[in-house]
């Protein structure tokens, strides 16, 4: 069974993520490659195995077109949210009920 589910196959995300988890490949990549965290540290923080973290990183590098499309979609959503406060881009955008 694959560790990573593509956005097209997912029922919980519109982008690649670790199977049965909500953590995305993009987020794992950002933590390891951009912030410089150790793969085991990321695994420990999110109750993953180091293998799952490395699979996510491999997916990011194996499917660069898909990951660029995900990043572009996020940019477009952020730009749209600047003009429309009804667009939710994160938990901070949700109303207090």
């Amino acid at each position: 069974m694959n560790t990573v589910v593509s956005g097209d196959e997912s029922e919980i995300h519109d982008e690649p993520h670790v199977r049965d988890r909500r953590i995305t490949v993009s987020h794992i990549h950002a933590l390891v490659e951009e912030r410089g965290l150790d793969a085991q540290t990321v695994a420990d923080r999110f109750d993953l195995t180091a293998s799952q973290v490395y699979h996510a990183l491999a997916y990011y590098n194996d499917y660069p077109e898909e990951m660029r499309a995900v990043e572009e979609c996020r940019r477009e959503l952020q730009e749209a949210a600047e003009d429309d406060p009804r667009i939710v881009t994160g938990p901070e955008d949700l109303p207090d009920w």
Side-chain angles (χ1 to χ4, degrees), residues 43-60:
D44 292 344
R45 283 189 184 177
F46 294 97
D47 195 28
L48 302 170
T49 65
S51 177
Q52 287 173 307
V53 172
Y54 286 119
H55 278 277
L57 294 171
Y59 189 97
Y60 186 95

Side-chain angles (χ1 to χ4, degrees), residues 50-81:
S51 177
Q52 287 173 307
V53 172
Y54 286 119
H55 278 277
L57 294 171
Y59 189 97
Y60 186 95
N61 290 296
D62 287 346
Y63 298 95
E65 297 85 16
E66 181 178 5
M67 299 314 301
R68 273 193 295 273
V70 164
E71 291 167 7
E72 179 61 27
C73 184
R74 279 192 181 170
R75 268 192 299 279
E76 290 171 1
L77 181 62
Q78 290 287 38
E79 289 172 6

Side-chain angles (χ1 to χ4, degrees), residues 80-94:
E82 290 174 7
D83 297 329
D84 186 348
R86 297 171 298 168
I87 296 176
V88 176
T89 61
E92 66 278 355
D93 297 333
L94 295 172

